Amino acid sequence: MEKTLEYYMELDYPVELSKIKPEEGGGFFVSVPLLPGCMSDGDTLEEAYSNIVEAKKEWFSSMIERKMEIPEPAEKEEYSGKFMVRLPKSLHKTLVQLSKREGVSLNQYVTNSLAYTAGQRI
């Protein structure tokens, strides 16, 4: 099956957006990491988004015309919300004590701790 421009435009490609410093002209820079060289900018978020949609069209059209391979985004993974962790008995004891002190279940305490730590890295 030959994949068309419309096919690729319907795929959900992750986009990276960053704010441009005022001393560098301001506005927003946007790119599609899976599509090397596919980038644009805009004075507003709306303009930057509209411009990256057009940039993707041009990028896909050029690749299709040259019969070059186009990377596709990975399928969205489904997550159950469960995972098993083995830890030292001393850490288990400490977590249980801390959760009791906070008045929450061990599961809730660990979930909150992980969410807080993960949020610090974003």
Side-chain angles (χ1 to χ4, degrees):
M1 172 185 110
E2 189 172 323
K3 296 178 180 173
T4 64
L5 173 62
E6 293 74 24
Y7 168 81
Y8 288 109
M9 290 301 293
E10 289 294 321
L11 296 178
D12 189 18
Y13 283 87
V15 173
E16 289 185 356
L17 176 78
S18 58
K19 193 167 177 106
I20 302 170
K21 295 177 183 175
E23 59 270 19
E24 295 174 1
F28 297 89
F29 175 79
V30 63
S31 65
V32 182
L34 283 175
L35 310 176
C38 184
M39 61 188 85
S40 192
D41 62 5
D43 292 332
T44 65
L45 284 171
E46 294 79 11
E47 183 180 11
Y49 179 77
S50 177
N51 290 344
I52 198 63
V53 169
E54 285 303 311
K56 282 188 341 186
K57 279 184 190 174
E58 293 300 320
W59 196 96
F60 291 138
S61 295
S62 173
M63 296 296 279
I64 291 168
E65 183 179 307
R66 294 183 291 156
K67 297 185 181 352
M68 296 185 72
E69 187 174 332
I70 298 174
E72 294 185 21
E75 295 290 323
K76 290 190 177 183
E77 296 183 41
E78 295 290 327
Y79 298 98
S80 68
K82 298 179 190 178
F83 71 100
M84 300 283 292
V85 177
R86 295 203 181 275
L87 47 121
K89 290 179 182 181
S90 60
L91 178 56
H92 187 186
K93 177 182 175 184
T94 300
L95 291 170
V96 168
Q97 290 171 340
L98 290 168
S99 67
K100 285 181 180 177
R101 188 178 321 154
E102 293 293 321
V104 297
S105 70
L106 175 60
N107 184 66
Q108 187 63 51
Y109 184 82
V110 170
T111 299
N112 289 346
S113 298
L114 288 171
Y116 175 79
T117 301
Q120 296 299 307
R121 299 190 185 272
I122 294 178

